[in-house]
Amino acid sequence: MNKVLAIAGIAIRNAMRSRMVIILLGILLLVIVGLPLTVKGDGTIAGQVRVLLGYTLGLVGFILSLATLWAGCAAVSLEIQERQIHLVVTKPVARAQIWLGKWLGLLILNAALLAFSGAVVYGLLRWTHRPETLTPEQFVELRENTLIACTVVRPEPLRIDDQVRAELEAIRTGSRVPDDIPESEVERAVRQRLLTDAFSVLQGGARQWTFAAPAKTVAPPLFRFRFSSSSIGPESVPGRWTVQRESDGTPFQTVQTNTSGMACLLKIPADAAAGGGAFRVTYENLSASPIVVSFDPADGLLLYSPAAGFEANFVRALLAILCRLAFFAALGVTAGSLFSMPVASFVSICALLMIQISGYIQSIAGRDALLHAHRHGPTGASAFWDHLFSAVFKAFNAVVGPLQGFDPLELLTTGQLVTWSMLGSVFVVQGIVYGGALMAISAWVLNKRELALPS
Amino acid sequence: MTGTMNEKFPNVGKNPAAFSKGWKSSASVFLLLVAVAGFWSSGLLNEPLVELRRQYRLDQAAPLENSPPLVAFTTVAIGGFRGILADILWIRASTLQEEGKYVELVQLADWITKLEPRLADVWAFQAWNLAYNVSAFFNTPEDRWRWVRHGITLLRDEGLRYNPGSASLCRELAWMFQHKIGGTQDEMHGLYKRAWAAEMSALFDGPRPDYARLPAEASNRLTRIYKLNPAVMEQIDRDYGPVDWRLPPAHSLYWALESRRVARGWDLVAANRMIYQAMANEFREGTLLFRPEEGVFVTRPNLDVLPNARAAYETAIAENPGETAMTAACENFLGDAIVILFTHDRPEKARRLLDEFRARHPEEPIPADLDTFVCRVVTRDAERLSYEEALELLERAELQSVFWQALGEDAPARGFHRLTDICRRHIVVDSGQELPSLDQIRRTARDRLLANPPSSKAAERLR
């Protein structure tokens, strides 16, 4: 361990000597102080805070990612090129320890820079939004709706398996589906339709959803919803919301007119949130015209239960960013071990881009046919190219998919809780699994490379 | 060879390293001087080239000058890549908008437009998107107005700053005042009008500034914040007005005239159209009846601008002889103008205009009698109206009369009452229907207004 720490110490000293740290600190300070002066929110206090936090920390993360990749590549490749590494490899140090030392050095530097940036951003946020600069309404909005950390609860899953089976049976009996349509596709379509039905409310109709009670709550929950309507364009639809706990709760009822496509918020009073058991939420469509209101089953109805303070959430979000930087450090050091500096930089940047577009890759890999979407599938040469591209995208997805993780800044700025389990999973996947694999590859290659041989 | 070299450069053989170093230094200094000279001469050439570009109108506007560092950096340093960056930001903006997340849209619109500051269409689209698409998702009037204002400020404060010669951006701005704020399509248009009037009322009392005695602070705010030149406003009041600067038609006219000042080709046609549309709106609803203590905020026709509105049409038609739509628009306007003059108790003026209208179209069967003409315009096919439709039409006309009476405005009260009277008689004759008496219709209209009066004082006046 001492050897690793010694190499890490040398890496940090080298970085300090090359003025990299000072320059980065300057750039970060410039970004943190300069960006809030130029960014514009939507005119609301919540918008201002979200844009400030999201853009400033996002740019800090981006700059640190690029710097980490560059520094990681340089840490080994330049030392090999300039033969400085001879001084280390001729000592009784394992190649894996060299890698680990370089990685640890970068990680410590990143942690320090991120802590500095986080502290400045938080200070700036508090200073620009101190109580005397806000109206009492803005202050309450900030405290109760914006700077919060909530557990997000989705409606309890609907038990529609029996209905799906019954419909499938009816379809089979009626021979209503052509033979060349796979049964899985029919089942998927039926399930989707039933699910959409369960989240749609006809004019004059009502639906109820159940939300499990959150394990920990520090304040009455908020209810966020967004619906689409059967009419074209934004439509204002009146509706009655009723929220009640399963036991001992005072029912809370309100009539609101909301616009389709718009994210809406419903504050649940403390007396309605008191009591025990799950939350039962009912919506009645009071529209005077025949409009169907549909909520997205994935994120159309969300119960936000405040579970922790904003500050703790902020720190966890920074730690999640640090985990990502740890992975980039591993990637940079590995690329530097494998290639010369220019090639290593190029490979690292490509890898960074691949990770950034991993969501797109995932969506492509999920398709049945890439070039030809005909239901009978491609034939001949088209089939060959289709299979080839499909395999390539699936392979890419297998590698970069797990790195997608979650976006800590999205959660932080929208008031969602960054949980320790999320953080743990990011640490395990990006730090341990991918980092460990990269270290193994790097150590193996460095062992194979002929370094410090007598010339 | 060596000997010759040594003769010419006696120090070479003695200290080759020093010679090489000296040679390199001299070459570096020489190249540096060449580079400086190159930069200096290119700087000298820049101004004539910019002048040529301006002269031949190779660009839509004058070159970008005194731009903020952020814009200068993005347009010069990123070079061709800024298009890609703008695309990425545009995709993000579209995705966020689809997901109902509007917090970042103002910032993204700002960056997208700054990445392509000379593309007027980009500014126009982003401003329209904020003012029309995004605003429509909000339910509260304050939220909606905020987004409409975001659209206006993006065009006016930023778009025109980087495209000072853009006729299309001036026209887009004129359109926002005419349609978004001045129109009635948006259900919250009344609030927009009030909010805009409140902003203008903070700068001057009454319908227009006292240009000779306009305080420096107000003049400065007009110029700096609203980008309105008081001298141009005064000129508009003289040539087209007097107009009420608290209302959207005046601002629509201002920006339409700005558009025409720099327009060429199709932009000129469009600017002319916008000018006569603004003038038509100025005539229809260019006067504000504003009694804050009573809570009354009502627009009514600005009858004084009729000659100027007509002149705007005539100018547009003369400048664009092939545009038949302009002639049709002018005819429609004249028809409306006759009715408005009639309903605002100016029968003589209405009659003179009708005579003129008939003289322009001797081949068409236009009624010579003013009452008959007005009835035809208002009721269209009177004989085809059902009983309910006829009654609704009459009650609405009478409601207008009662409304103006409640506000103490006698001229329109008389005019609309007369309109109800002649239309009732006309429908009875044409369709042979038995309709309630005029008194009965008036009582119903009065009851309807008293159920929802414009103000408590207005209700008192009616009682």
Side-chain angles (χ1 to χ4, degrees):
Chain A
M1 194 59 197
N2 284 343
K3 293 171 189 170
V4 172
L5 288 177
I7 294 168
I10 292 167
I12 293 169
R13 270 202 298 277
N14 282 343
M16 303 288 265
R17 210 176 292 135
S18 71
R19 296 197 182 89
M20 184 188 102
V21 177
I22 299 296
I23 291 169
L24 266 177
L25 270 175
I27 293 173
L28 291 175
L29 207 57
L30 203 70
V31 164
I32 296 165
V33 178
L35 200 64
L37 297 176
T38 58
V39 292
K40 297 170 183 169
D42 62 347
T44 61
I45 199 76
Q48 200 182 352
V49 167
R50 280 175 193 161
V51 170
L52 188 146
L53 275 179
Y55 278 44
T56 314
L57 287 179
L59 201 56
V60 164
F62 183 69
I63 291 169
L64 286 180
S65 301
L66 282 184
T68 304
L69 280 177
W70 177 82
C73 293
V76 183
S77 67
L78 285 186
E79 286 203 2
I80 293 172
Q81 189 184 322
E82 290 165 8
R83 297 192 172 85
Q84 288 170 359
I85 204 163
H86 294 186
L87 297 172
V88 182
V89 292
T90 47
K91 292 187 168 60
V93 180
R95 303 292 157 99
Q97 285 174 318
I98 296 174
W99 187 96
L100 211 56
K102 299 281 182 195
W103 176 79
L104 192 63
L106 280 174
L107 192 63
I108 292 168
L109 276 177
N110 269 316
L113 289 168
L114 196 63
F116 166 76
S117 306
V120 176
V121 169
Y122 182 75
L124 208 64
L125 175 76
R126 284 300 183 191
W127 187 74
T128 52
H129 295 88
R130 56 194 187 280
E132 55 266 33
T133 62
L134 306 172
T135 62
E137 295 79 30
Q138 284 178 326
F139 185 69
V140 171
E141 161 76 19
L142 199 65
R143 197 186 55 199
E144 293 182 359
N145 298 341
T146 310
L147 297 182
I148 51 175
C150 300
T151 309
V152 178
V153 185
R154 291 181 161 72
E156 283 186 351
L158 300 164
R159 293 184 185 87
I160 54 171
D161 290 347
D162 291 344
Q163 277 177 277
V164 172
R165 268 194 294 276
E167 281 223 13
L168 274 177
E169 193 51 45
I171 288 169
R172 269 193 222 107
T173 315
S175 306
R176 284 188 277 144
V177 181
D179 296 336
D180 55 348
I181 301 287
E183 189 162 315
S184 60
E185 208 169 303
V186 179
E187 187 187 332
R188 200 166 55 199
V190 168
R191 192 172 286 279
Q192 184 62 40
R193 192 184 60 72
L194 288 172
L195 207 56
T196 307
D197 280 353
F199 282 83
S200 299
V201 190
L202 300 173
Q203 180 204 9
R207 286 229 181 252
Q208 190 178 71
W209 300 274
T210 306
F211 294 80
K216 185 189 169 190
T217 180
V218 295
L222 307 165
F223 187 67
R224 291 182 195 265
F225 60 93
R226 181 171 175 255
F227 62 83
S228 54
S229 80
S230 52
S231 62
I232 299 168
E235 180 74 40
S236 293
V237 185
R240 183 183 292 116
W241 289 95
T242 310
V243 182
Q244 188 173 17
R245 298 293 299 258
E246 260 181 345
S247 57
D248 305 333
T250 315
F252 164 64
Q253 203 168 69
T254 177
V255 174
Q256 293 190 350
T257 297
N258 302 105
T259 312
S260 56
M262 181 77 199
C264 308
L265 181 73
L266 192 70
K267 288 182 188 175
I268 301 172
D271 56 343
F279 284 87
R280 291 232 164 97
V281 178
T282 310
Y283 177 75
E284 292 168 69
N285 180 348
L286 303 179
S287 175
S289 43
I291 287 174
V292 181
V293 163
S294 296
F295 298 90
D296 188 328
D299 59 1
L301 296 160
L302 301 170
L303 190 77
Y304 273 57
S305 176
F310 172 77
E311 286 72 15
N313 212 35
F314 186 80
V315 171
R316 280 192 293 272
L318 289 183
L319 286 175
I321 295 173
L322 187 63
C323 287
R324 173 54 66 103
L325 290 173
F327 167 73
F328 284 137
L331 186 66
V333 175
T334 304
S337 311
L338 264 60
F339 310 108
S340 63
M341 180 64 188
V343 180
S345 306
F346 178 75
V347 169
S348 305
I349 296 295
C350 285
L352 178 68
L353 284 176
M354 294 297 292
I355 294 163
Q356 289 299 322
I357 60 166
S358 56
Y360 175 69
I361 291 173
Q362 198 173 36
S363 70
I364 297 268
R367 290 184 200 167
D368 292 334
L370 299 181
L371 303 175
H372 303 272
H374 195 271
R375 67 177 194 173
H376 297 299
T379 52
S382 305
F384 169 74
W385 290 114
D386 222 78
H387 289 310
L388 182 69
F389 280 120
S390 185
V392 168
F393 274 103
K394 279 181 177 139
F396 271 138
N397 185 44
V399 176
V400 298
L403 288 169
Q404 234 184 337
F406 67 97
D407 182 355
L409 292 182
E410 170 71 15
L411 298 183
L412 181 72
T413 55
T414 53
Q416 297 182 51
L417 186 70
V418 179
T419 61
W420 286 108
S421 65
M422 286 176 177
L423 204 57
S425 71
V426 172
F427 177 73
V428 168
V429 172
Q430 304 199 358
I432 308 286
V433 177
Y434 276 76
L438 288 169
M439 185 178 77
I441 294 167
S442 189
W444 183 74
V445 171
L446 282 176
N447 273 325
K448 293 282 171 195
R449 278 181 87 161
E450 294 182 336
L451 295 170
L453 291 177
S455 54
Chain B
M1 184 65 186
T2 313
T4 318
M5 284 285 282
N6 285 343
E7 281 163 22
K8 283 184 180 172
F9 306 104
N11 291 331
V12 169
K14 290 174 190 168
N15 192 349
F19 172 78
S20 171
K21 197 177 173 186
W23 171 245
K24 276 184 181 172
S25 301
S26 308
S28 301
V29 170
F30 173 72
L31 289 174
L32 204 63
L33 287 174
V34 168
V36 170
F39 274 119
W40 183 66
S41 50
S42 70
L44 286 181
L45 279 174
N46 185 50
E47 200 48 45
L49 283 172
V50 165
E51 189 50 43
L52 282 174
R53 193 166 73 169
R54 195 179 285 139
Q55 191 181 332
Y56 290 110
R57 293 220 177 201
L58 295 176
D59 206 344
Q60 58 181 333
L64 203 55
E65 284 165 0
N66 303 324
S67 55
L70 186 68
V71 179
F73 176 76
T74 49
T75 51
V76 178
I78 302 177
F81 287 105
R82 69 179 197 263
I84 297 171
L85 195 53
D87 285 348
I88 293 170
L89 293 177
W90 204 306
I91 290 168
R92 177 167 174 77
S94 302
T95 310
L96 289 175
Q97 196 168 328
E98 277 172 24
E99 291 171 0
K101 297 172 182 170
Y102 303 107
V103 171
E104 288 179 44
L105 288 188
V106 177
Q107 182 59 61
L108 290 172
D110 187 51
W111 280 343
I112 290 166
T113 47
K114 296 262 170 71
L115 283 168
E116 300 285 1
R118 307 309 296 270
L119 289 183
D121 287 346
V122 174
W123 290 97
F125 174 83
Q126 293 295 338
W128 166 80
N129 189 39
L130 297 182
Y132 278 78
N133 290 348
V134 179
S135 73
F137 283 101
F138 289 83
N139 279 319
T140 62
E142 294 76 20
D143 282 334
R144 278 213 185 176
W145 173 239
R146 199 175 63 241
W147 285 97
V148 172
R149 229 176 165 289
H150 279 319
I152 288 174
T153 48
L154 188 71
L155 266 187
R156 185 191 63 200
D157 300 355
E158 307 278 342
L160 283 174
R161 178 183 177 190
Y162 300 115
N163 301 272
S166 172
S168 65
L169 286 190
C170 290
R171 194 178 63 244
E172 291 291 338
L173 197 49
W175 174 254
M176 277 200 194
F177 278 106
Q178 183 191 309
H179 185 259
K180 190 68 189 173
I181 306 178
T184 54
Q185 285 81 357
D186 192 316
E187 60 193 349
M188 295 187 188
H189 68 93
L191 176 108
Y192 305 158
K193 290 185 177 90
R194 276 173 185 261
W196 185 254
E199 288 192 29
M200 290 293 111
S201 297
L203 300 173
F204 48 83
D205 293 326
R208 64 197 66 86
D210 180 353
Y211 299 107
R213 282 189 286 275
L214 186 63
E217 164 69 15
S219 173
N220 188 29
R221 286 188 67 192
L222 272 176
T223 315
R224 198 168 41 82
I225 299 173
Y226 296 98
K227 310 291 182 278
L228 295 169
N229 183 345
V232 177
M233 290 167 72
E234 192 176 5
Q235 184 75 29
I236 289 173
D237 268 326
R238 254 200 317 270
D239 297 347
Y240 293 88
V243 297
D244 192 327
W245 288 97
R246 294 168 301 178
L247 292 175
H251 294 270
S252 176
L253 179 65
Y254 182 98
W255 292 109
L257 286 167
E258 283 295 296
S259 175
R260 190 170 70 175
R261 196 171 56 78
V262 289
R264 294 188 313 149
W266 188 87
D267 280 336
L268 190 59
V269 179
N272 275 324
R273 265 193 205 138
M274 193 60 78
I275 289 168
Y276 68 64
Q277 285 169 4
M279 283 307 293
N281 289 339
E282 181 62 40
F283 172 71
R284 288 185 184 114
E285 48 185 16
T287 305
L288 179 63
L289 186 64
F290 185 38
R291 295 177 194 152
E293 70 288 350
E294 211 182 309
V296 171
F297 183 97
V298 185
T299 58
R300 62 178 183 185
N302 182 357
L303 304 177
D304 296 337
V305 299
L306 180 59
N308 291 332
R310 290 188 63 192
Y313 276 100
E314 299 303 339
T315 307
I317 291 167
E319 285 183 7
N320 305 278
E323 289 287 327
T324 51
M326 288 185 177
T327 316
C330 181
E331 303 308 324
N332 286 338
F333 171 70
L334 287 179
D336 285 352
I338 294 167
V339 176
I340 289 171
L341 286 171
F342 180 89
T343 53
H344 285 74
D345 207 26
R346 308 275 177 102
E348 280 313 310
K349 274 192 176 179
R351 197 163 288 119
R352 276 203 299 276
L353 194 58
L354 175 61
D355 294 342
E356 211 179 309
F357 190 50
R358 290 184 69 236
R360 286 166 71 117
H361 303 281
E363 73 288 352
E364 286 185 30
I366 301 170
D369 175 52
L370 179 63
D371 288 359
T372 313
F373 176 83
V374 170
C375 278
R376 286 251 177 105
V377 172
V378 174
T379 61
R380 307 224 179 257
D381 295 327
E383 65 275 11
R384 291 188 184 176
L385 287 176
S386 68
Y387 176 83
E388 288 74 22
E389 286 169 341
L391 197 60
E392 177 62 21
L393 191 145
L394 296 174
E395 280 182 4
R396 278 166 62 181
E398 194 55 26
L399 191 65
Q400 284 283 324
S401 170
V402 176
F403 175 79
W404 288 113
Q405 189 198 354
L407 293 179
E409 297 288 313
D410 294 336
R414 274 196 306 273
F416 275 103
H417 183 64
R418 182 159 169 71
L419 178 72
T420 316
D421 183 23
I422 61 165
C423 285
R424 184 186 164 280
R425 279 190 271 129
H426 189 76
I427 293 169
V428 168
V429 172
D430 278 10
S431 64
Q433 296 189 57
E434 279 293 320
L435 289 169
S437 69
L438 193 60
D439 284 346
Q440 179 63 44
I441 293 170
R442 188 163 183 82
R443 269 198 300 276
T444 311
R446 188 173 163 278
D447 292 345
R448 274 170 74 174
L449 194 76
L450 279 174
N452 189 18
S455 69
S456 52
K457 209 169 176 182
E460 272 174 38
R461 280 194 203 103
L462 266 187
R463 287 190 188 109

